[in-house]
Amino acid sequence: MTYAPEPDEDDLDLVSAPKPVHYAEQALLGALLLEPARLADTEPLIAHHFDSHTHAALFTAIRTLPPPDPAHHAKDTAWLNAVLKHARPHAPGLNAPYLHHLIQFCPQAKHAAAYAKIIRADNARRILRGHAERLASTATDPGLPNPAASTLGLADDIGRVLDSLSEQFAPHPGSLPRTALPADVPRQADEEDLDEERLLLATATAYPAEVQQMRWLTEADFLLPLHAVLWQSITALVHRSDMVDPVTVLGEAQHRGLLTDSLTPKDLMALVSTPAGSPEYWGERILKRALLARAQTVAARITAYTDDPANTPHQLITGSRRALADLNALRTRWNRATTPAPSPVGRSSARAGQPPRATSPPLQPTLPASRAHR
């Protein structure tokens, strides 16, 4: 049966084609208006689960008012009038014809529990999508004083939501989503970011002893592939307990195929020869950028899952947990990097006056960007 809503029916005046949940809400409300005792079959459904504000107001009225005597309810509309009166202050567009339409639309009042489950499933989808949007927004907000902590806090919120949803929706076979995932969010590199990577490479070459404690930083965290391979070269020397200086880094880089016509040995040595600050400081900044970029990718994946109507609630839960696992792996490295460690004993007096890790040292002249990108 087709229903043409009145112009003033709030969110019942749908511009686009209604989603499946719209019809589930109509069917459920029709069942409850027809047989109010069916309300007991809808637990744990609450008004917040409804997509339509008007439907939520009507459901609240049904839950609030005492159920009528079934025999009396079959003969008159007194209870329906009371429900309408209770709901209209919160949804002015409601009217008696729409209530009668809901009753006529409902296929089977005894299926109220199934309609409620559809509504709860759609609400789970909307909740997850909202959390993913907040995660993406926070990870890209340059004005936050501590974006990493804020981002990880929102990731924890998503984890708690998934735990809650897993208690509400039973698992089933074939629970992995088949949604085609979007590509990783591109990482934009400005010159300041690349300068920080160059400074890390130079300070790591100058102070290799500290690199031994920086296993929390990997080549995947770098923006520029050249810098990633140079970091591999430096860490390989350190972990083999070999001598580390610009010349030995050059030798290791040569074995890794870094030298080209556009990147000469002199260029490469210049790239790792101007230290400033400490390796830990620059490493933490690089890792933080990687953490925020990973959070954006996780948010995009969860959003893709929620946008795919073919996914069941359990598939949403399973896919979202897998996405979060990628972020949690990076979180573990971030925690290692930012956990205060005892002051090293016997640190060279030449570094006694260097700025602390919490303060950025001034940038020093480095290899020109046009050469470093090649």
Side-chain angles (χ1 to χ4, degrees):
M1 179 180 295
T2 303
Y3 172 69
E6 296 295 330
D8 62 343
E9 283 186 350
D10 300 339
D11 55 354
L12 299 179
D13 189 11
L14 301 170
V15 177
S16 58
K19 297 183 294 183
V21 70
H22 175 76
Y23 300 106
E25 291 181 2
Q26 287 189 323
L28 174 65
L29 293 173
L32 298 180
L33 292 171
L34 183 63
E35 300 181 16
R38 296 288 179 185
L39 183 64
D41 299 338
T42 67
E43 298 294 342
L45 187 71
I46 59 175
H48 179 72
H49 293 153
F50 283 76
D51 184 40
S52 163
H53 169 77
T54 303
H55 289 168
L58 188 54
F59 182 74
T60 298
I62 293 172
R63 289 190 61 181
T64 302
L65 296 178
D69 176 84
H72 292 164
H73 184 56
K75 297 177 181 178
D76 62 50
T77 61
W79 186 78
L80 294 179
N81 293 335
V83 167
L84 179 60
K85 182 179 179 180
H86 190 283
R88 287 201 66 174
H90 308 284
L94 270 176
N95 53 34
Y98 187 65
L99 267 61
H100 288 287
H101 162 73
L102 294 176
I103 294 173
Q104 294 173 354
F105 175 80
C106 177
Q108 294 282 348
K110 63 182 180 181
H111 295 167
Y115 306 147
K117 185 177 180 180
I118 295 173
I119 295 169
R120 288 171 47 231
D122 188 77
N123 177 68
R125 186 185 307 276
R126 295 196 308 275
I127 287 177
L128 271 178
R129 196 183 200 290
H131 277 278
E133 289 173 349
R134 286 190 289 274
L135 179 64
S137 175
T138 300
T140 55
D141 186 350
L144 293 175
N146 192 342
S150 299
T151 297
L152 292 175
L154 287 177
D156 289 336
D157 290 344
I158 294 177
R160 285 188 286 268
V161 168
L162 294 175
D163 288 342
S164 175
L165 293 178
S166 65
E167 296 175 357
Q168 302 175 38
F169 299 95
H172 55 78
S175 58
L176 292 178
R178 297 183 176 87
T179 306
L181 293 177
D184 289 353
V185 176
R187 298 177 61 186
Q188 303 298 324
D190 59 30
E191 196 58 35
E192 181 179 352
D193 297 336
L194 296 178
D195 272 338
E196 290 178 354
E197 292 189 355
R198 299 181 193 113
L199 287 166
L200 168 67
L201 298 172
T203 53
T205 301
Y207 311 111
E210 296 188 12
V211 175
Q212 188 69 39
Q213 310 302 321
M214 294 177 61
R215 294 179 183 269
W216 39 262
L217 189 68
T218 72
E219 62 275 8
D221 301 324
F222 287 78
L223 292 167
L224 198 64
L226 166 64
H227 296 165
V229 180
L230 272 176
W231 178 248
Q232 285 181 309
S233 302
I234 295 169
T235 54
L237 292 171
V238 170
H239 296 153
R240 294 199 305 259
S241 299
D242 288 347
M243 300 297 179
V244 181
D245 62 32
V247 175
T248 61
V249 172
L250 171 64
E252 184 70 21
Q254 179 183 5
H255 296 318
R256 295 174 183 269
L258 278 187
L259 296 180
T260 64
D261 292 340
S262 58
L263 183 65
T264 67
K266 184 177 180 181
D267 291 335
L268 195 147
M269 285 191 296
L271 187 60
V272 297
S273 296
T274 312
S278 70
E280 300 100 323
Y281 174 81
W282 301 117
E284 285 182 20
R285 292 183 66 85
I286 292 168
L287 184 58
K288 181 176 72 173
R289 280 197 297 272
L291 176 74
L292 298 178
R294 183 71 57 83
Q296 295 175 56
T297 295
V298 169
R301 289 180 180 177
I302 295 177
T303 299
Y305 290 139
T306 61
D307 286 349
D308 184 353
N311 286 325
T312 66
H314 192 69
Q315 287 175 316
L316 293 177
I317 295 167
T318 303
S320 298
R321 278 183 166 161
R322 287 199 169 196
L324 275 182
D326 291 341
L327 180 58
N328 287 335
L330 216 158
R331 177 209 295 263
T332 299
R333 296 195 285 120
W334 173 253
N335 289 339
R336 290 176 187 167
T338 56
T339 299
S343 299
V345 178
R347 175 168 290 191
S348 171
S349 59
R351 300 189 61 203
Q354 74 172 33
R357 290 167 62 182
T359 305
S360 172
L363 298 180
Q364 301 294 327
T366 60
L367 185 68
S370 60
R371 303 291 293 276
H373 281 270
R374 295 176 183 172

